[in-house]
């Protein structure tokens, strides 16, 4: 049967390395596919590696056949071998006797196997060693001959060495080593592979990847094997995931594939080398998590704490955590701490009320229901931002608050869990926020299905994030508390309600800076002075915070005290400057402020200010600017003095607003420079505006632009005063909140001439009676008969004192506005002093009587003497006037 009989078998897909024979590639010996058949193999086999050749010896012991393989292997052409005695031709002379004897024995029918040295060509030295298998044979005539099979010993030894080495590598490799045939079935696996998947190595012969890998991974592996077998291009680092018997953890392997070739170059299969990288992947994942955690902490350090607002700080924490660390999160703070209580009831056991200040989610906008029942005013359920709630005592969240330790709260895997759209929370971290050994609130981090549950590293990171945020939130809380207290202090020092003044309509606005800025030292005041005069004050303490507010209160009190002394505006500022410098330093600080380099110049230098008070902080806080104005509604004139403040603005009817030319002077607390006064006439209908720099100056525009805008907003002076204030604040965009804003506006209308009685009296005794007469007539004209007797008595006392203790002409003036004021001028500088008269004294009770019958009395210096005054309340129809007789009798 010729070799052509194998062709049909190949056409049917049987036989050889390509047929579906047994796993070794050999044809099956029988079975359902029929009897064995002849088949041809592709070139290349084990003989290609071991280099087998053949020749034959005739009955005469000479070579009669010489194969081409012998020619290739031994390097002797056929013409150099045929017909020759192999012993004489190829064997060294010293071995020829033995060689002839062996050939004789072979021709006698004896088999022989041995090693034979040979020369590659005639005349050459022995340079080859062959292993010869000699088998006796017979020819057609029955004569004995021999068939010789020659194997190159060196090639054979190399194959043995290679087999031993490959066996060692294959068997002792710490990695999984497998060989796949061309049918993509396993031909062989090493012990490491068998150990991992269980069973002996022979168990896996003929198996496919589907027998030990999950289906998706097996399909990937099979596709890669087919591609390598077809293209010859190796595949490296193919990542496969699967399980092994007896272990719950899934393994990850890195597989490298390369095609195997026979000696003739034909593909004979695919080798696979698999390394278990589960630990490496775990380490890589942990390293990635560590890098992520460090990045989160770095981001948290950069972003959390940039604001002193509680809600902003809480939202920033959640912006950092979601979605980089968790899927949703919330922040709860103790309601009592937010309200200013240091230790709200229930804080120690975690059951106190909390307020949700922030919530963030990457999976849903719905509020977090929580794994521990949150109890709100409406009962258990989701908590909205801003809602007040509490945790039951036995809940995990209350436990975390109580113990100040983070707790991992596993979620329920069923549909009964807290659903957020299509997401279900399966793991929650409840982390208490601890600042300065005090729990201030709770932050919850939650992950939904599809995310890894929280572990120890996650807990440590969450605690660190919560701790950083807690300190910042506590700082913000403390700042808010100080800010609110400063605001309370600051507002308590401002005039209550709408101030009233004779001859002026007053409107004022005070806008504190936003919570992002500290409380400033701006203030304004309206002070009633004797004679229906009014002092208008606006000031600004340099610096911010509670110290600035306290300094403002001290200076405002000092201004009021000095104003009641009825000093001139320049004198008030001079005395206030001394007070400010006393507040800013002690001991020799006042002297140092006036150092030899010049009082103003040296005090304004930062270094000098620091040396003056001992610290730069004190020197800066008690520097202030102030403008002080006194308005007389009778003369309709105002006297201004300025201590480094912005100039007042005056708007007269039909004219544009203008800045009054008031000498600026030096700020309070600098010292050494006198203050100047400027007197300005204010016609009826004029509008006067005093303000602080927060109104006209900001980082968005320079001061000149702000002043121009302020003047433009004030140009229309006809609108109602309250509307004018609102218009100014709107036009100047005061919502920036960079600084406090104080605005004091006054519209002038003066005291009507018929409400003033003014007379000059001669310095003689009859002027007392004349004064009583004038007072009686004037009060009768005003319809104040109820005050006639009291006024006559008190006017008589003041005029009598002016005649007795003073000199020069006497002036009497009565003013009617919200009260009745009587003033008596004389040319003496000595101030009247009230004293207690003894029972036996005949005089000395005049000023006591004035004090008993009047609403108030006092005296002030004038450029040419003094003025003594008293004030009476106007009758209201319900309470009668004081009886002068009873008051007089009460003195005895």
């Amino acid at each position: 049967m010729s070799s052509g009989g194998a062709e049909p078998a190949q056409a049917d897909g049987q036989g050889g390395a390509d047929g579906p024979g047994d796993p070794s590639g050999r044809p099956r010996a029988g079975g359902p596919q029929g009897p064995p058949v002849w088949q041809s193999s592709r070139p290349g086999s084990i003989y290609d590696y071991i280099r087998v050749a053949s020749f034959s010896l005739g009955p005469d012991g000479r070579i009669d056949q010489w194969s081409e393989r012998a020619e290739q292997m031994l390097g002797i052409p056929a013409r150099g071998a045929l017909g020759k005695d192999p012993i004489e031709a190829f064997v060294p002379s010293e071995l020829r006797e033995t060689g002839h004897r062996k050939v004789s024995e072979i021709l006698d029918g004896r088999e022989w196997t041995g090693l034979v040295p040979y020369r590659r060509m005639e005349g050459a030295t022995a340079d080859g060693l062959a292993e010869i298998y000699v088998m006796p044979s017979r020819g057609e005539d029955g004569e004995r001959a021999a068939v010789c099979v020659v194997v190159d010993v060196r090639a054979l030894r190399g194959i043995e060495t290679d087999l031993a080495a490959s066996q060692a590598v294959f068997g002792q490799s710490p990695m999984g080593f497998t060989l796949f045939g061309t049918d993509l079935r396993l031909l062989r696996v090493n012990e490491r592979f068998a150990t991992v998947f269980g069973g002996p190595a022979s168990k896996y012969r003929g198996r496919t990847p589907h027998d030990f890998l999950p289906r998706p991974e097996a399909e990937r592996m099979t596709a890669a094997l087919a591609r390598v077998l077809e293209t010859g291009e190796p595949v490296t680092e193919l990542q496969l995931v699967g399980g092994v018997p007896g272990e719950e953890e899934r393994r990850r392997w890195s597989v490298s594939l390369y095609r195997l070739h026979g000696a003739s170059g034909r593909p004979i299969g695919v080798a696979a080398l698999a390394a278990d990288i589960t630990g490496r992947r775990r380490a890589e994942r942990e390293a990635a998590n560590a890098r992520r955690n460090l990045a989160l902490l770095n981001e948290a350090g950069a972003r959390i704490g940039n604001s002193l607002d509680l809600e902003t700080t809480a939202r920033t924490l959640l912006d950092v955590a979601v979605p980089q660390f968790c899927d949703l999160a919330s922040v709860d703070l103790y309601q009592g701490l937010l309200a200013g209580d240091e230790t709200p009831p229930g804080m120690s056991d975690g059951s106190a009320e909390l307020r949700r200040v922030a919530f963030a989610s990457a999976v849903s906008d719905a509020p977090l229901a929580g794994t521990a029942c949150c109890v709100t005013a409406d009962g258990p359920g989701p908590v909205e931002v801003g809602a007040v709630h509490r945790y039951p005592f036995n809940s995990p969240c209350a436990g975390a608050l109580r113990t100040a330790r983070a707790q991992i709260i596993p979620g329920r895997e069923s549909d009964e869990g807290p659903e957020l759209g299509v997401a279900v929370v399966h793991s929650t971290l409840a982390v208490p926020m601890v600042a300065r050994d005090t729990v201030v609130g709770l932050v919850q981090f939650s992950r939904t299905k599809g995310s890894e549950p929280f572990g120890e590293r996650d807990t440590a990171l969450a605690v660190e994030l919560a701790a950083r945020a807690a300190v910042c939130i506590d700082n913000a809380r403390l700042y808010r508390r100080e800010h609110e207290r400063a605001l309370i202090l600051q507002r308590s020092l401002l005039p209550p309600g709408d101030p009233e003044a004779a001859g002026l309509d007053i409107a004022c606005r005070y806008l504190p800076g936003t919570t992002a800025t500290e409380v400033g030292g701006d203030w304004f005041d309206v002070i009633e002075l004797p004679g229906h005069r009014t002092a208008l004050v606006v000031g600004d303490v340099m610096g911010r915070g509670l110290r600035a507010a306290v300094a403002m209160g001290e200076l405002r009190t000092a201004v009021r005290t000095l104003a009641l002394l009825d000093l001139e505006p320049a004198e008030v500022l001079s005395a206030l400057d001394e007070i400010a410098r006393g507040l800013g330093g002690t001991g020799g600080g006042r002297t140092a402020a006036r150092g030899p380099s010049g009082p103003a110049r040296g005090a304004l230098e930062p270094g000098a200010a620091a040396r003056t008070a001992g610290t730069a902080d004190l020197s800066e806080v008690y520097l202030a600017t102030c403008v002080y104005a006194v308005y007389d509604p009778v003369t309709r004139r105002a006297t201004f003095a300025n201590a480094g403040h912005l100039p007042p603005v005056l708007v007269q009817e039909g004219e544009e607003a203008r800045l009054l030319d008031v000498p600026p002077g030096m700020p309070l607390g600098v010292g050494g420079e006198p203050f100047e006064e400027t007197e300005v006439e204010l016609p009826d209908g004029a509008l006067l505006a005093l303000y602080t720099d927060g109104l006209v100056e900001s980082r968005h525009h320079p001061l000149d632009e702000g002043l121009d805008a302020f003047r433009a907003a004030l140009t229309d002076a006809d609108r109602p005063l309250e509307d004018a204030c609102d218009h100014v604040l709107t036009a100047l965009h005061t919502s920036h909140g960079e600084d406090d804003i104080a605005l004091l506006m006054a519209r002038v209308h003066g005291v009507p001439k018929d409400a003033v009685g003014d007379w000059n009296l001669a310095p003689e005794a009859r002027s007392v009676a004349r004064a009583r007469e004038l007072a009686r007539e004037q009060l009768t004209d005003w319809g104040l008969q109820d005050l006639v007797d009291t006024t006559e008595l008190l006017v008589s006392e003041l005029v009598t004192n002016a005649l007795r203790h003073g000199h020069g002409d006497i002036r009497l003036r009565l003013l009617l506005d919200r009260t009745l004021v009587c003033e008596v001028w004389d040319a003496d500088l000595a101030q009247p002093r009230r004293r207690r008269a003894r029972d036996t004294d005949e005089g000395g009770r005049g000023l006591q009587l004035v004090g008993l019958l009047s609403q108030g009395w006092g005296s002030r210096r004038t450029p040419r003497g003094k003025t003594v005054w008293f004030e009476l309340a106007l009758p209201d129809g319900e309470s009668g006037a004081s009886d002068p007789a009873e008051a007089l009798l009460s003195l005895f």
Side-chain angles (χ1 to χ4, degrees):
M1 186 178 292
S2 67
S3 61
E7 298 302 326
Q10 286 185 338
D12 292 337
Q14 301 177 10
D18 300 325
D22 70 7
S24 64
R26 296 186 296 270
R28 290 188 175 91
Q33 296 191 9
V37 294
W38 287 86
Q39 59 185 8
S40 62
S41 299
R42 294 179 180 177
S45 66
I46 188 62
Y47 303 109
D48 295 330
Y49 291 98
I50 64 176
R51 301 181 67 185
V52 178
S54 66
F55 64 91
S56 63
L57 299 177
D60 58 357
R62 295 181 179 274
I63 301 173
D64 61 0
Q65 288 186 0
W66 189 258
S67 66
E68 292 182 359
R69 183 68 67 87
E71 182 178 344
Q72 296 172 1
M73 185 179 72
L74 300 177
I76 301 173
R79 66 177 180 274
L82 293 174
K84 291 187 177 182
D85 183 349
I87 302 302
E88 296 293 335
F90 309 125
V91 177
S93 57
E94 65 273 12
L95 299 176
R96 287 175 183 173
E97 182 178 355
T98 303
H100 286 299
R101 187 173 60 251
K102 293 296 183 184
V103 170
S104 299
E105 293 176 354
I106 292 170
L107 293 178
D108 289 339
R110 183 178 179 183
E111 291 185 359
W112 181 83
T113 302
L115 298 177
V116 177
Y118 65 92
R119 298 189 187 97
R120 292 189 178 276
M121 60 182 61
E122 188 175 1
T125 58
D127 59 359
L129 184 64
E131 187 174 54
I132 300 179
Y133 300 86
V134 182
M135 297 167 286
S137 63
R138 291 183 183 273
E140 294 180 357
D141 55 0
E143 291 183 328
R144 289 188 176 274
V147 176
C148 302
V149 177
V150 184
V151 177
D152 190 339
V153 173
R154 292 181 179 178
L156 188 61
R157 295 295 179 265
I159 292 173
E160 291 176 350
T161 303
D162 292 344
L163 286 175
S166 63
Q167 179 65 22
V169 172
F170 192 86
Q172 300 173 20
S173 173
M175 296 180 288
F177 208 160
T178 61
L179 298 178
F180 288 87
T182 54
D183 58 353
L184 305 186
R185 291 179 178 271
L186 282 171
L187 297 177
R188 188 177 179 185
V189 301
N190 69 344
E191 291 297 328
R192 175 59 180 168
F193 182 93
T195 301
V196 171
F197 289 96
S202 59
K203 167 185 174 182
Y204 295 95
R205 183 180 295 273
R207 301 290 183 89
T208 66
H210 289 83
D211 295 320
F212 51 86
L213 287 176
R215 182 173 180 179
E217 300 293 270
E219 291 177 351
R220 291 178 58 226
M221 178 72 170
T222 302
L225 287 169
R227 185 168 62 254
V228 171
L229 188 61
E230 179 182 356
T231 65
E233 296 180 359
V235 172
T236 59
E237 297 293 331
L238 175 64
Q239 303 286 325
L240 298 176
V241 179
V244 297
E247 294 186 14
E248 295 183 0
E249 183 183 10
R250 294 170 64 85
R251 295 284 190 93
R252 182 180 291 270
W253 296 280
S254 175
V255 181
S256 297
L257 306 175
Y258 57 94
R259 191 170 68 180
L260 299 177
H261 301 83
S264 62
R266 70 182 179 91
I268 61 174
V270 178
L273 188 62
D276 190 338
I277 61 170
T278 305
R280 188 179 75 186
R281 289 290 299 176
R282 186 185 304 113
E284 291 175 353
R285 186 167 59 251
E286 291 179 356
N289 290 338
R291 288 193 297 270
R292 182 202 65 182
N293 294 350
L294 288 175
L296 276 175
L297 290 177
N298 182 60
E299 184 180 4
R303 296 179 59 184
I304 298 176
N306 291 335
S307 172
L308 288 174
D309 181 72
L310 285 170
E311 289 76 8
T312 301
T313 302
R315 286 195 300 269
T316 303
L317 168 63
L318 301 191
D319 290 341
V320 171
V322 179
Q324 292 91 337
F325 178 68
C326 61
D327 297 318
L328 62 160
S330 65
V331 176
D332 300 324
L333 299 179
Y334 276 118
Q335 178 70 4
L337 291 179
L338 294 176
D341 299 336
E342 292 297 332
T343 54
M347 191 174 72
S348 60
D349 60 14
S351 63
E353 289 186 338
L354 300 103
R355 177 158 60 90
R356 180 145 297 174
V357 295
F359 170 78
S361 172
V363 294
S364 173
D365 294 332
L368 177 63
T371 53
C373 296
C374 302
V375 180
T376 64
D378 300 328
V383 181
E384 301 284 350
V385 174
V388 176
H389 66 98
R390 60 182 176 83
Y391 294 108
F393 180 81
N394 294 326
S395 65
C397 292
L401 291 169
R402 185 166 54 251
T403 61
R405 294 182 179 179
Q407 294 195 17
I408 298 179
I409 308 172
R412 291 171 291 185
E413 297 296 334
S414 65
D415 295 336
E416 298 177 358
E419 295 188 3
L420 300 169
V422 296
V424 177
V425 173
H426 75 90
S427 184
T428 298
L429 259 177
V431 184
M433 306 182 73
V434 183
R436 301 176 180 89
D437 297 328
T438 301
V439 178
V440 299
L442 183 76
V443 56
Q444 294 185 66
F445 304 102
S446 298
R447 289 178 178 174
T448 58
K449 283 186 176 180
S451 301
E452 293 184 1
F454 291 109
E456 293 183 1
R457 293 180 182 270
D458 295 324
T459 303
L461 175 61
V463 170
E464 178 65 21
L465 289 174
R468 294 191 180 195
V471 172
C472 297
I473 285 177
D474 194 52
N475 288 340
R477 179 182 66 85
L478 295 176
Y479 170 79
R480 174 180 289 185
R481 184 179 64 182
E482 178 180 347
H483 190 270
E484 291 176 350
R485 291 178 179 178
L487 282 178
I488 293 174
L489 172 63
Q490 190 177 39
R491 289 170 179 171
S492 67
L493 296 175
L494 297 176
D498 294 327
E500 294 182 356
L504 294 174
D505 292 332
I506 303 292
C508 52
R509 295 289 187 273
Y510 177 78
L511 301 179
T514 63
T515 54
T517 60
E518 295 187 67
V519 172
D522 295 12
W523 92 92
F524 66 90
D525 208 348
V526 178
I527 307 170
E528 294 186 68
L529 300 178
H532 286 315
R533 293 171 304 131
T534 303
L536 304 177
V537 188
V538 170
D540 184 3
V541 176
M542 297 182 186
R544 303 217 173 165
L546 189 59
R547 292 183 60 82
V550 171
M552 177 269 287
E554 293 175 325
L555 293 178
R556 177 180 179 272
T557 301
V559 170
R560 277 191 160 267
T561 302
L562 295 171
L564 293 178
L565 296 177
D566 214 349
L567 302 176
E568 295 296 325
E571 293 179 336
V572 171
L573 292 186
S574 296
L576 196 62
D577 176 62
E578 290 289 335
I579 294 173
R581 287 192 291 124
L583 294 175
T586 57
R590 189 175 305 175
T591 303
R594 301 184 183 210
S597 61
R601 197 168 51 249
L604 284 179
E605 295 176 357
R611 292 189 298 272
T612 299
T615 64
D617 184 33
L618 289 176
S619 300
E620 183 180 358
V621 165
Y622 289 107
L623 288 176
T625 62
C626 180
V627 61
Y628 184 89
V630 175
Y631 171 68
D632 188 342
V634 178
T635 62
R636 291 174 174 79
R637 300 184 70 84
T639 305
F640 296 89
N642 191 357
H645 202 80
L646 295 173
V649 176
L650 179 65
V651 186
Q652 293 182 260
E653 192 172 0
E655 299 180 6
E656 293 185 354
R658 61 185 177 92
L659 299 175
L660 293 179
D661 187 14
V662 179
M666 300 300 293
L668 301 176
V670 173
E673 291 291 330
F675 296 97
E676 301 182 34
E677 293 181 354
T678 299
E679 192 173 64
V680 179
E681 184 175 355
L682 304 179
D684 283 350
L687 183 65
L688 179 66
L690 307 178
Y691 52 96
T692 58
D693 57 359
L695 180 66
V696 294
E697 186 177 22
S698 78
R699 69 184 68 177
H700 304 293
H701 56 75
L703 177 61
D704 291 343
E705 291 184 8
L707 289 174
D708 291 342
F710 184 36
R711 291 169 51 200
L714 284 175
T715 298
D716 184 8
D718 296 333
R719 68 177 71 225
L721 197 57
E722 293 291 337
D723 294 345
C725 283
D726 295 336
H727 174 69
V728 167
L729 296 180
T730 302
L732 269 62
H733 304 290
T734 56
S735 58
H736 54 76
E738 296 175 9
D739 196 3
D740 292 357
I741 295 174
L743 174 63
L744 177 63
M745 298 179 65
R747 192 182 302 280
V748 177
H749 54 74
V751 175
K753 292 183 179 180
D754 57 2
V756 179
D758 195 348
W759 306 276
N760 289 322
L761 302 175
E764 54 188 16
R766 63 180 181 177
S767 294
V768 176
R770 177 60 179 165
R772 288 197 299 267
E773 180 182 356
L774 293 172
R776 182 186 314 110
E777 292 176 353
Q778 186 64 66
L779 264 64
T780 301
D781 292 341
W782 289 338
L784 299 177
Q785 288 82 358
D786 293 343
L787 299 181
V788 169
D789 293 341
T790 302
T791 302
E792 282 189 52
L793 178 59
L794 299 185
V795 166
S796 176
E797 287 292 336
L798 295 187
V799 173
T800 299
N801 286 342
L803 288 173
R804 182 178 299 174
H805 303 290
H807 59 271
D809 291 340
I810 300 172
R811 180 183 175 190
L812 171 66
R813 188 170 72 171
L814 295 177
L815 304 175
L816 177 62
D817 194 74
R818 291 176 293 114
T819 60
L820 176 66
V821 175
C822 175
E823 298 174 322
V824 176
W825 277 265
D826 64 61
D828 186 63
L829 295 177
Q831 298 293 312
R833 182 173 61 87
R834 182 178 177 179
R835 65 183 181 88
R836 182 176 295 277
R838 292 187 296 270
D839 293 343
T840 57
D841 290 345
E842 296 182 358
R845 296 179 178 84
L847 293 181
Q848 294 185 43
L849 184 64
V850 173
L852 284 174
L853 294 178
S854 67
Q855 184 176 337
W857 75 279
S859 66
R860 67 178 184 275
R861 289 181 298 174
T862 64
R864 292 180 296 275
K866 68 176 182 296
T867 300
V868 182
W869 58 270
F870 67 84
E871 183 177 7
L872 297 176
L874 299 180
D876 56 7
E878 296 181 0
S879 58
S882 300
D883 187 354
E886 293 183 2
L888 186 61
L889 292 176
S890 68
L891 299 178
F892 295 94

